[in-house]
Amino acid sequence: MTTKLFTGAEMVVKALSAMKVKYIFGYPGGSVLDLYDAIFQQDEIEHILVRHEQAATHMADGYTRATGEVGVVLATSGPGATNCVTGIATAYMDSIPMVVLAGQVPTTLIGNDAFQETDIVGCTRPIIKHSFNCRDLAEIPNIIAKAFYIASTGRPGPVVVELPKDLLIPQNKAPFSIETNVKIRSYNPNIKGHPKQIRKAAKTINEAKKLVIYSGGGIVLADASELLTKLVETLKAPITNTLMGLGGISGVHKNFVGMLGMHGSLEANKTMANADVILALGVRFDDRVTNNVEKFCPNATIIHVDIDPTSISKTINAHIPVVGLVDVVMQQLLDELSTINYSPNKEALKEWWQQIHLWRDMRSVSYKQVEGEKIKPQRVVEAMYRITKGEAYVASDVGQHQMFAAQYYPFAKPRQWINSGGAGTMGFGLPAAMGTKLAFPDKHVICITGDGSIQMNIQELSTCKQYNLSVVIITLNNRSLGMVRQWQDMVYDGRHSSSYMESLPNFTKLAEAYGHIGIKIDTLDELDSKLEQAFNIKNKLVFVDVLVDEKEHVYPMHIRQGGIDDMWIAKGVKA
Amino acid sequence: MRHILAILLENEPGALSRIVGLFSQRAFNIESLTVAPTDDGSLSRITIATIGDDKVLEQIVKQVNKLVDVIKISELTDRKHVERELLLVKVAAMNDKSRTEVKRISDIFRGSIVDIGKQIYTIELTGSSDKLNAFIETLSNETEIIESARSGCVGIARGEKALRV
């Protein structure tokens, strides 16, 4: 009996099927034509044709953030692959699992400056978790299995697989074999927290008088939201989320004090600054959280739980580091707390909450909308929340609208909030919303964006038409780059250098030109009715262009170089 | 503070570039770096001499360990260890006096002359980086140094403990 032989292209598709891949987001080109031919001849995996490779990476990324499944991107060599760089960096910064298959010129031409040749493995080295150069077609299936394993385990991240054309062509064949139970001797991520550290952490928590839980994207990635809620309710402590961690606990939970950091709530930042014990779960003490590290929470004992040892004591020294999967460690902590008969100081807890309520009463996250005046962007997000009953998936671009969405749309569940937190990639929102809509066609999926960000991937309106992705795009149109303008107002004496958009397109007509529906809102009295109308349209993409007050700033805001709770709470007003 | 790190990693294409890239990406310092396959051909061993305070060193060790290709990393300078570096140096030896003097200095440092030309001597010397520095300084007081090549240091811990898979 002869062994069946496969081309490299067929192997790629078979291996992706073995990884249970449903969608590939990509764009064809010379070096991957054989792979596209193999995709054409099967129907297990659907290929989604984008209009720019950057959008393919963000779409895969959005799909992953919404579902937890590894996103797959396919691009040709040279410019196809380099167009993926921003999307790979975006996924890397937020620890999103992704496998990027990049075409390459034939092995015989590598290094010759051949047509559409770039060293994509070299280009992406600082922004990937790992990468593979395939040089033997028989290795392809196992390399793909390893890529998925590495991307999705430990601290997740993007993996690039470079596929030279001569490994994919019909003339070269080999038998197919794949080891799906991957073992890599040099790669063994930690799972459980060290028992000694767990005991120390539990003891410290038990003795705390002003405990705060600070949780982040790690909770969302680990699908550990239920366990977190249980921990919060056991400890009866206040909890704050990072921008990446929103939805990790319900945004309307009574213990939730809001997002912390640069544009977090005053109560969240005050709670952090005054805590005696900080239980940090799946966070990395990002500079947008800490403000000046020298002044960061000087009186707190910090327990830092993270899967990645490099995140621990990188910026802020952790007194009790715990390396492990955040869900596993939280369960260990709960068990240990019950072993030691956890009994918080009731008097201290009561006083702590009284103090927090005083901060809450300052209502730091608020704005003033005057009837008859321009629409405040915050008002749009609130209307959006009300109409979708807080149940929509919200994919955001980057800028003021992103912060308003984070502040005014309390997310009930993890994976509802999809944004580029670490990299801050403008142009992320629309393709990320498309990936989410693909995964959940029956849910409301919003792309909240601005007139700057939306134009960074607006060509994807065409992809939306092709695949009938009925995203609701809500553009908070302030005719300027709002966040840039805000900084120029605050730091550069109002010199608006290149923050204007003086030649904006007519967005509603543009949407119509792509075959969608455009709705323009420019007065407050039509805001609610027109937004409702937008959300009532089924199976059509609706582009809502809302003209908002361009002078509005995002508050609260960290005072630069101050402590975590040194904040502006309104123009010229310090907390 | 100077630290010597020994890294055991997969002998794969691109593995070295990941290490070097990491150091430049995160603004870590490399004083010297050597690499070669080990007795087990599937593994390479890199020795890096670096400079940084304890916080930087902690990040270097953690970040290197995080690379998928890396199996183990060990800091040699915080334990008893042996370190060696190889120097090849070509010096001017124009007349009897300078030839005698170069030979004498080389003997004192236990170097050996490995090549002789009409007007040059080439000397080989192994030792700690400090010793090599001292040798070069002494030589340069006596004659002209024409060319020198140093290997960067390699090291190994004393005692039973071994860096192996």
Side-chain angles (χ1 to χ4, degrees):
Chain A
M1 196 180 108
T2 53
T3 318
K4 193 162 184 242
L5 300 178
F6 296 89
T7 68
E10 289 165 341
M11 288 194 195
V12 172
V13 175
K14 270 176 80 73
L16 292 176
S17 288
M19 297 295 116
K20 304 190 173 55
V21 170
K22 297 185 198 104
Y23 299 103
I24 302 174
F25 305 92
Y27 204 104
S31 27
V32 288
L33 285 175
D34 295 293
L35 193 40
Y36 271 84
D37 197 42
I39 292 170
F40 188 85
Q41 295 177 55
Q42 54 84 51
D43 46 20
E44 271 184 61
I45 304 174
E46 188 181 355
H47 178 268
I48 307 291
L49 175 69
V50 292
R51 299 301 180 264
H52 186 292
E53 290 87 350
Q54 184 193 346
T57 55
H58 294 327
M59 203 173 165
D61 185 326
Y63 179 83
T64 299
R65 291 185 205 230
T67 60
E69 296 167 25
V70 178
V72 181
V73 177
L74 172 55
T76 192
S77 62
T82 57
N83 276 347
C84 293
V85 167
T86 302
I88 294 169
T90 305
Y92 179 73
M93 290 297 282
D94 290 343
S95 310
I96 304 302
M98 178 185 285
V99 172
V100 179
L101 306 171
Q104 184 53 286
V105 300
T107 46
T108 48
L109 286 180
I110 288 177
N112 279 323
D113 301 321
F115 176 66
Q116 291 194 331
E117 179 189 0
T118 48
D119 172 14
I120 193 61
V121 165
C123 288
T124 55
R125 190 173 296 117
I127 50 166
I128 40 109
K129 184 167 175 191
H130 197 59
S131 49
F132 292 95
N133 303 86
C134 294
R135 292 294 180 265
D136 172 3
L137 82 146
E139 281 179 4
I140 290 175
N142 283 335
I143 283 181
I144 288 179
K146 280 184 188 172
F148 274 77
Y149 174 66
I150 291 169
S152 58
T153 53
R155 178 176 179 176
V159 176
V160 169
V161 179
E162 184 191 78
L163 297 162
K165 178 161 181 154
D166 53 334
L167 270 60
L168 304 174
I169 54 176
Q171 292 83 341
N172 293 333
K173 291 187 176 185
F176 178 91
S177 84
I178 186 164
E179 179 53 72
T180 50
N181 184 18
V182 177
K183 283 201 175 66
I184 301 171
R185 66 174 172 181
S186 60
Y187 175 73
N188 302 291
N190 287 296
I191 293 175
K192 274 187 146 179
H194 196 288
K196 202 178 103 195
Q197 297 299 89
I198 299 286
R199 283 197 296 274
K200 262 199 212 171
K203 184 167 178 286
T204 307
I205 290 169
N206 198 32
E207 288 163 3
K209 292 200 168 80
K210 298 176 183 178
L211 173 68
V212 60
I213 299 168
Y214 150 43
S215 80
I219 297 288
V220 178
L221 291 168
D223 290 312
S225 164
E226 278 179 34
L227 206 51
L228 175 67
T229 309
K230 192 177 167 195
L231 183 66
V232 168
E233 287 168 1
T234 305
L235 299 176
K236 301 182 176 62
I239 173 163
T240 177
N241 284 164
T242 64
L243 178 68
M244 289 306 300
L246 293 175
I249 187 155
S250 166
V252 294
H253 194 285
K254 66 180 172 44
N255 291 40
F256 184 59
V257 294
M259 178 172 79
L260 84 171
M262 179 174 275
H263 292 296
S265 73
L266 182 69
E267 57 265 41
N269 287 334
K270 282 276 182 204
T271 304
M272 286 290 286
N274 290 281
D276 65 349
V277 175
I278 295 173
L279 175 57
L281 301 168
V283 294
R284 56 189 180 90
F285 293 86
D286 179 77
D287 53 272
R288 285 297 192 268
V289 162
T290 59
N291 211 2
N292 186 346
V293 291
E294 305 294 330
K295 298 178 184 169
F296 182 78
C297 306
N299 305 315
T301 302
I302 294 170
I303 305 165
H304 189 176
V305 180
D306 203 274
I307 185 71
D308 180 1
T310 69
S311 284
I312 294 178
S313 297
K314 182 173 66 182
T315 55
I316 300 291
N317 189 44
H319 304 92
I320 306 172
V322 187
V323 177
L325 285 175
V326 75
D327 48 341
V328 175
V329 172
M330 283 196 293
Q331 189 56 59
Q332 285 178 283
L333 257 181
L334 280 165
D335 294 346
E336 178 64 20
L337 287 166
S338 120
T339 309
I340 63 170
N341 287 320
Y342 171 66
S343 52
N345 182 328
K346 285 198 179 123
E347 203 49 42
L349 194 63
K350 201 175 143 198
E351 272 177 37
W352 184 219
W353 273 106
Q354 278 170 350
Q355 176 62 68
I356 293 166
H357 285 305
L358 290 178
W359 292 321
R360 253 187 194 167
D361 291 344
M362 292 170 75
R363 295 186 23 88
S364 63
V365 181
S366 61
Y367 66 98
K368 267 199 206 92
Q369 173 76 65
V370 179
E371 292 293 326
E373 287 188 1
K374 285 181 183 169
I375 302 171
K376 293 289 183 187
Q378 299 94 322
R379 177 75 174 71
V380 183
V381 177
E382 284 184 337
M384 207 172 94
Y385 178 76
R386 201 174 53 249
I387 294 164
T388 59
K389 301 185 180 70
E391 289 167 0
Y393 285 89
V394 180
S396 179
D397 258 308
V398 169
Q400 285 186 320
H401 60 270
Q402 179 188 23
M403 293 301 119
F404 290 136
Q407 292 174 332
Y408 291 90
Y409 199 113
F411 296 97
K413 292 192 177 127
R415 302 193 180 280
Q416 239 186 303
W417 169 237
I418 289 164
N419 89 124
S420 165
T425 304
M426 290 172 72
F428 174 81
L430 176 58
M434 290 158 60
T436 307
K437 190 70 186 181
L438 194 66
F440 299 107
D442 301 328
K443 303 274 183 176
H444 281 309
V445 177
I446 299 169
C447 164
I448 181 93
T449 182
D451 47 283
S453 283
I454 189 64
Q455 294 192 79
M456 285 213 189
N457 263 321
I458 201 159
Q459 76 287 344
E460 296 308 315
L461 286 173
S462 174
T463 309
C464 290
K465 183 68 187 167
Q466 183 174 351
Y467 298 96
N468 192 28
L469 299 170
S470 49
V471 171
V472 178
I473 299 172
I474 297 181
T475 304
L476 302 183
N477 183 345
N478 58 5
R479 285 81 60 206
S480 63
L481 303 176
M483 193 57 97
V484 171
R485 182 189 165 110
Q486 173 168 349
W487 279 65
Q488 289 170 339
D489 285 339
M490 296 174 77
V491 189
Y492 300 91
D493 295 329
R495 291 185 297 279
H496 296 154
S497 176
S498 297
S499 58
Y500 287 112
M501 287 281 187
E502 284 167 332
S503 49
L504 286 178
N506 180 331
F507 285 117
T508 49
K509 279 199 176 155
L510 186 64
E512 283 163 11
Y514 275 109
H516 306 303
I517 295 172
I519 296 178
K520 186 170 182 173
I521 303 178
D522 60 6
T523 59
L524 185 61
D525 53 13
E526 61 182 7
L527 174 65
D528 290 353
S529 59
K530 283 199 173 171
L531 266 186
E532 269 170 40
Q533 183 197 338
F535 282 106
N536 280 332
I537 297 168
K538 301 286 174 217
N539 297 319
K540 276 279 203 179
L541 182 147
V542 186
F543 192 120
V544 189
D545 182 21
V546 194
L547 301 186
V548 297
D549 184 356
E550 70 280 8
K551 295 204 173 62
E552 190 63 14
H553 286 181
V554 181
Y555 289 109
M557 182 174 179
H558 271 158
I559 297 170
R560 289 191 309 151
Q561 292 307 314
I564 189 172
D565 60 338
D566 289 328
M567 301 199 87
W568 299 105
I569 50 168
K571 274 183 197 170
V573 183
K574 291 185 183 176
Chain B
M1 169 103 171
R2 181 170 178 266
H3 306 272
I4 298 172
L5 302 167
I7 303 162
L8 204 59
L9 73 168
E10 296 290 350
N11 185 6
E12 295 271 353
L16 174 63
S17 71
R18 289 181 214 281
I19 301 272
V20 176
L22 172 70
F23 273 72
S24 90
Q25 174 191 355
R26 297 198 180 262
F28 300 146
N29 177 293
I30 299 180
E31 194 184 75
S32 76
L33 182 151
T34 71
V35 57
T38 66
D39 57 303
D40 173 348
S42 71
L43 297 171
S44 285
R45 180 165 169 139
I46 292 177
T47 313
I48 293 181
T50 183
I51 291 170
D53 61 22
D54 287 349
K55 197 173 161 72
V56 170
L57 182 74
E58 182 183 334
Q59 267 299 308
I60 293 176
V61 171
K62 285 174 167 180
Q63 293 285 358
V64 169
N65 234 334
K66 186 173 157 181
L67 294 173
V68 170
D69 287 330
V70 170
I71 294 173
K72 277 180 185 166
I73 175 166
S74 160
E75 197 209 342
L76 294 175
T77 23
D78 72 350
R79 66 188 66 183
K80 287 185 177 160
H81 69 282
V82 183
E83 67 178 87
R84 291 288 182 271
E85 186 174 355
L86 170 69
L87 165 75
L88 295 170
V89 60
K90 195 177 278 187
V91 297
M94 316 284 275
N95 50 42
D96 280 353
K97 181 175 171 287
S98 71
R99 279 184 208 125
T100 314
E101 198 51 32
V102 166
K103 175 79 172 75
R104 195 178 67 84
I105 296 168
S106 170
D107 286 347
I108 291 171
F109 279 86
R110 301 208 174 93
S112 47
I113 294 164
V114 291
D115 188 36
I116 294 177
K118 276 185 185 156
Q119 299 186 329
I120 62 110
Y121 273 9
T122 300
I123 311 153
E124 171 194 326
L125 181 69
T126 307
S128 70
S129 303
D130 272 356
K131 175 177 162 180
L132 267 49
N133 293 341
F135 180 60
I136 286 180
E137 200 188 325
T138 313
L139 269 183
S140 63
N141 291 336
E142 290 304 326
T143 184
E144 184 195 351
I145 293 179
I146 294 165
E147 184 184 347
S148 71
R150 294 174 68 150
S151 64
C153 73
V154 294
I156 202 160
R158 288 190 186 275
E160 309 288 322
K161 228 179 158 190
L163 196 63
R164 291 199 71 84
V165 174

